[in-house]
């Protein structure tokens, strides 16, 4: 912005002061609407168009409505700079748009192996940029779209739609050492320019985020050690009969190989004049292993990496790459690590392997093809040889050949691992499929491990607050640090160059130090971006501005821990406090959910329907309505901005729990008092409770749950015995079955029940939540299998006690799938961190579903059989074995 005169500055100050009550007026006058592409996307609608007749473009209609409501509340509060006013609380739940699309024939690596993009379905897993599995929760679009091939500087490429979103950083941000990232469509990158002039050449402009090594589980099915396999592929020979030999030229490699194969089983032939040793491996043990892996009998130009080794853990793949480097690796004069091979398949496999470990691999364009003299002195051409340059993360150990490793130029800066967009070329209309993944930032790894992507109104709001309220103090947060830095904070920083008050402020963008402050009042007039981890809650405390505004903004608020919400309340007690929360309504629990339900009276609420936003694909939204139905959970969350009955990853439906608490209890006599089923969840932590839950058929209400606190194992056993006696002697049940969690102090409870409580009418079964599920093809462990049985019981007519605590515990746990497509439940400790309490009551009830068909009433013969076993049993180890059958 050009330097303003004193008179112009005074006029600007007066104009900004008039915007104190009116964020929309500030937004219209402070930014260049219609003058730049970023501010020429949405046309200003009525009635706001009539209020600002000279402005064709502006915020979307829902943002204008929100700003008008804020104006009304600011005027109503009429803060005088002294007397504290009521906090302004605004909550916005919004639907989703359409963002990512890849060509259906692309091949991608997934936690369950390589798959065709078009064959993926909801519930399948991709890899996130952190290398961990991330589940596909929606396939919002599949159809023909104008498409482009995006190629990177290392030769990797992918085909995407013109609307495909990329998280990118420009060269100028890199030069200024900024961590600002932008989210741009493919066609936007084309419009801004893939490259820029740099002298006589053209320089690449846009980099994408680095990816971490992808995390496959350790593979116990590989036939021989990965380092040995790498050595055999690189410098070995495997005959068709399995006979194996390796050429080795380093003593360190000898030693490392000795760790995998006993020396006495090796036959070594030394060639000291040539500087290497030929090592024959034991035929008996190796023959079948190499034959099974498919590399027996392969010549140098036919070699490859067996698939089982590619789908193995990070350490196993690392050892494999070290074996390859120690055999056929080389280090050039400039310290560049490279690998050479005459096999096209092995060339591509090595590139894949390096990228899967977070490295950068590039096939050199020049193909080396030498020659040699034959027996008759004729020239014979060698096979073509490809050279691959490898740049690995700085902490990666590039083999055990010390002399070679020491010559490798270390990767000092991350920029050497960065991939840059090299070209974007049109490929016509292609069939495209979009996916949504279960990550707040929407990022996943496409083919060749390319990171691809899935807050403009928030930015407008922040700039209004900071510009109109001297000495204000604010905190902004988001679900993850990546979401906060690459989207929320990046948007605030990107708007500085356009905002009329941009030169008033300094913005720092480094992760862990994201601050915006007034140049003249850096300590008292500032905004800070904070990670929302619960252990970081103190960073949200102590924020006060008695003579100004203390404000908080939560982006992706559904993922902000409850503890952060609680601490933020302390900053809303003086001055002119405000809190604004934005998010997608994906979870039917938590503080964001409460803003629209139990705590709704304190909040001004907006639900944004994607069909009303100007930039969404209305045709596709109509297709969703027809496909899923407007009342489906999918359509509610993705389009209407409404909370689902059952959150996308919520295991037990909210409406089912509410129905179970409302229905009439069948009573204890419905089971003829044959059997009471007791679940005992034993506390392991100071604030948790030991809970005894009793269920009789479809009735879990008539016998109230019991809480026990701060009791040792023996005392818990005594309390359980007293409860069982009450069920048997007072309520006259014929039999009681007890299922209890035996982990931790559960072992001492188990001892008490076995040796000191001898009522023959009570049968007790220790349960290990982590033990293998009966239906192992569907469920990972016994815990989620019990929860699944409990969920079905709730849906099919079970009766629950009316309890807000029990409801929260039942509807809060989330589930996912592992690479074997087995369902598993959120860890108890993680759930406690998220909702602030342990699901003790819900787990106790779930334990009553440990055994199938346990609701069937026992006959007298079962009880008599049990009695005979008890009397004959004088070996506690035999008793334990029978109880676990």
């Amino acid at each position: 912005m050009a330097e303003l005169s004193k008179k112009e500055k005074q006029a600007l100050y007066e104009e900004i002061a008039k915007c104190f009550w009116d964020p929309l007026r500030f937004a219209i006058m402070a930014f260049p609407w219609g003058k730049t592409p970023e501010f020429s996307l949405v046309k200003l609608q009525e009635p706001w168009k009539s209020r600002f007749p000279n402005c064709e473009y502006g915020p979307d209609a829902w943002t204008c409505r929100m700003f008008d409501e804020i104006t009304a509340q600011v005027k109503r509060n009429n803060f005088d700079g002294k007397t504290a006013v009521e906090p302004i609380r605004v909550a916005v739940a919004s639907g989703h748009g359409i963002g990512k699309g890849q060509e259906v024939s692309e091949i991608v690596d997934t936690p369950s192996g390589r798959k065709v993009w078009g064959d993926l379905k909801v519930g399948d897993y991709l890899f996130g940029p952190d290398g961990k599995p991330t589940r596909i929760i929606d396939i919002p679009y599949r159809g023909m779209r104008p498409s482009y091939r995006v190629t990177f500087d290392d030769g990797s490429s992918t085909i995407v739609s013109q609307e495909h979103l990329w998280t990118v950083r420009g060269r100028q941000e890199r030069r200024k050492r900024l961590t600002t990232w932008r989210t741009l469509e493919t066609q936007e990158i084309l419009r801004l320019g893939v490259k820029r002039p740099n002298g006589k050449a053209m320089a690449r402009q846009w980099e994408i985020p680095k990816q971490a090594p992808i995390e496959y589980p350790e593979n116990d099915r590989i036939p021989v050690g990965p380092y040995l396999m790498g050595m055999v592929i690189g410098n070995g020979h495997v005959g068709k009969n399995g006979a194996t030999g390796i050429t080795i030229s380093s003593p360190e490699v000898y030693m490392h190989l000795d760790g995998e194969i006993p020396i006495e089983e090796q036959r070594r032939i030394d060639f000291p004049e040539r500087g290497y040793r030929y090592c024959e491996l034991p035929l008996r043990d190796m023959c079948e292993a190499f034959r099974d892996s498919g590399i027996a009998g392969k010549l140098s130009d036919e070699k490859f990496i067996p698939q089982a080794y590619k789908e193995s853990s990070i350490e196993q793949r690392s050892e494999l790459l070290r074996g390859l480097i120690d055999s056929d690796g080389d280090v050039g004069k400039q310290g560049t690590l490279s690998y050479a091979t005459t096999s096209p398949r092995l060339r591509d496999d090595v590139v894949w392997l390096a990228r899967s470990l977070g490295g950068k691999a590039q096939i050199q364009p020049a193909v080396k093809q030498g020659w040699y003299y034959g027996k008759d002195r004729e020239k014979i051409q060698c096979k073509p040889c490809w050279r691959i340059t490898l740049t690995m993360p700085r902490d990666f150990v590039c083999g055990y050949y010390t002399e070679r490793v020491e010559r490798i130029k270390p990767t000092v800066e991350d920029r050497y691992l960065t991939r840059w967009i090299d070209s974007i070329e049109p490929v016509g209309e292609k069939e495209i499929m979009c996916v949504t993944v279960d990550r707040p930032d929407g990022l996943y790894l496409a083919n060749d491990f390319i990171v691809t992507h899935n807050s403009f109104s928030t930015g407008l709001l922040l700039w209004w607050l900071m510009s109109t309220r001297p000495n204000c103090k604010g905190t902004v947060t988001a679900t993850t640090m990546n979401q906060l830095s690459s989207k929320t904070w990046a948007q605030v920083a990107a708007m500085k160059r356009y905002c009329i008050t941009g030169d008033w402020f300094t913005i720092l963008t480094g992760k862990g130090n994201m601050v915006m402050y007034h140049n003249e009042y850096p300590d008292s007039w500032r905004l800070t971006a904070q990670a929302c981890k619960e252990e970081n809650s103190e960073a949200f405390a102590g924020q006060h501005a008695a003579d100004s505004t203390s404000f908080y903004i939560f982006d992706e608020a559904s993922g902000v821990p409850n503890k952060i919400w609680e601490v933020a309340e302390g900053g809303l007690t003086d001055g002119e406090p405000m809190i604004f929360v934005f998010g997608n309504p994906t979870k039917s629990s938590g503080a964001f959910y409460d803003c629209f339900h139990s705590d709704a009276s304190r909040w001004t609420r907006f639900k944004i329907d994607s069909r009303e936003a100007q930039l969404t694909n209305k045709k596709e939204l109509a297709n969703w309505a027809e496909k899923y139905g407007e009342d489906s959970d999918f359509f509610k969350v993705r389009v209407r901005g409404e909370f689902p009955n059952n959150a996308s990853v919520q295991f037990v439906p909210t409406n089912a729990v509410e129905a179970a608490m409302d229905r009439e209890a069948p009573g204890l006599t419905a089971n003829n008092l044959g059997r009471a089923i007791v679940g005992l969840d034993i506390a392991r932590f100071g604030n948790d409770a030991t809970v005894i839950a009793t269920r009789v058929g479809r009735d879990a209400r008539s016998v109230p749950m019991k809480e026990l606190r701060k009791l040792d194992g023996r005392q818990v056993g005594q309390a359980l015995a007293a409860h069982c006696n009450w069920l048997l002697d007072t309520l006259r049940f014929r039999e009681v079955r007890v299922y209890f969690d035996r982990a931790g102090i559960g072992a001492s409870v188990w001892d008490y029940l076995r040796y000191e409580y001898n009522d023959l009418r009570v049968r007790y079964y220790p349960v290990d939540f982590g033990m293998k599920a009966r239906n192992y093809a569907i469920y990972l462990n016994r815990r989620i299998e019990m929860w699944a049985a409990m969920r079905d019981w709730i849906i099919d007519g079970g009766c629950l006690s009316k309890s807000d605590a029990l409801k929260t515990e039942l509807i809060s746990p989330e589930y996912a799938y592992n690479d074997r497509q087995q369902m598993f439940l959120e860890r108890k400790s993680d759930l406690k961190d998220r909702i602030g309490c342990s699901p003790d009551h819900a787990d106790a009830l779930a334990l009553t579903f440990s055994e199938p068909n346990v609701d069937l009433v026992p006959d007298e013969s079962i009880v008599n059989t049990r009695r005979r076993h008890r009397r004959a049993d004088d070996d506690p180890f035999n008793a334990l074995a029978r109880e676990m059958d």
Side-chain angles (χ1 to χ4, degrees), residues 31 73 96 205 224 239 269 419 487 546 714-715 796 830 841:
F31 293 95
Q73 294 193 38
H96 296 242
Q205 288 208 84
V224 297
I269 306 172
R419 283 199 268 183
K487 293 186 70 176
R714 180 180 179 81
Q715 291 171 322
D796 293 340
D830 292 342
H841 301 79

Side-chain angles (χ1 to χ4, degrees), residues 497-691:
R497 60 183 291 210
Y498 299 108
C499 186
I500 199 170
T501 62
D503 60 348
W504 293 5
F505 299 94
T506 296
I507 298 181
L508 306 180
T509 57
K511 273 189 179 181
N513 188 31
M514 293 179 285
V515 180
M516 175 181 179
Y517 57 83
H518 194 283
N519 296 330
E520 296 181 17
Y521 309 95
D523 296 326
S524 62
W525 191 342
R526 62 195 286 122
L527 167 68
T528 304
Q530 293 284 357
C532 72
K533 293 181 179 180
E534 187 166 346
E535 57 268 27
N536 194 39
S537 61
E538 290 304 313
F540 292 77
Q543 178 176 289
H544 297 282
D547 59 351
S548 186
T549 298
S550 170
F551 66 91
Y552 295 91
I553 292 185
F554 293 176
D555 198 5
E556 296 295 342
S558 59
V560 176
N562 288 357
K563 182 67 174 178
I564 302 297
W565 291 73
E566 294 171 7
V567 174
E569 283 292 323
L572 303 177
T573 56
D574 55 16
E576 185 197 32
M578 303 184 189
I579 182 169
F580 305 92
V581 296
F582 301 84
N584 303 124
T586 55
K587 298 179 179 179
S588 294
S589 62
F592 187 58
Y593 175 84
D594 291 342
C595 293
F596 294 82
H597 294 85
S598 61
D599 205 22
S601 60
R602 297 200 306 158
W603 290 83
T604 300
R605 306 172 311 281
F606 294 89
K607 293 181 179 179
I608 312 304
D609 193 315
S610 296
R611 292 170 293 185
E612 298 176 2
Q614 291 189 42
L615 296 181
T616 53
N617 187 327
K618 306 301 188 297
K619 181 179 179 181
E620 188 56 31
L621 297 180
N623 290 338
W624 288 356
E626 182 177 353
K627 179 178 180 180
Y628 299 103
E630 293 197 19
D631 292 328
S632 66
D633 279 348
F634 171 84
F635 200 81
K636 284 181 179 179
V637 173
R638 299 293 163 187
V639 181
R640 290 165 52 183
E642 295 184 2
F643 290 87
N645 290 328
N646 179 25
S648 56
V649 291
Q650 180 181 329
F651 193 63
V652 181
T654 302
N655 56 355
V657 173
E658 291 172 345
M661 290 182 173
D662 289 339
R663 66 173 58 100
E664 185 177 353
L668 302 180
T669 56
N671 194 262
N672 297 321
L673 298 178
R675 175 184 294 154
I677 310 162
V678 174
L680 174 66
D681 183 66
I682 304 171
R684 302 178 187 83
F685 308 103
N687 295 329
D688 297 345
T690 293
V691 178

Side-chain angles (χ1 to χ4, degrees), residues 31 53 94 133 198 313 366 674 695 801 808 844 880:
F31 293 95
S94 59
N198 183 20
S313 69
R695 182 172 63 85
S801 299
T808 298
L880 175 60

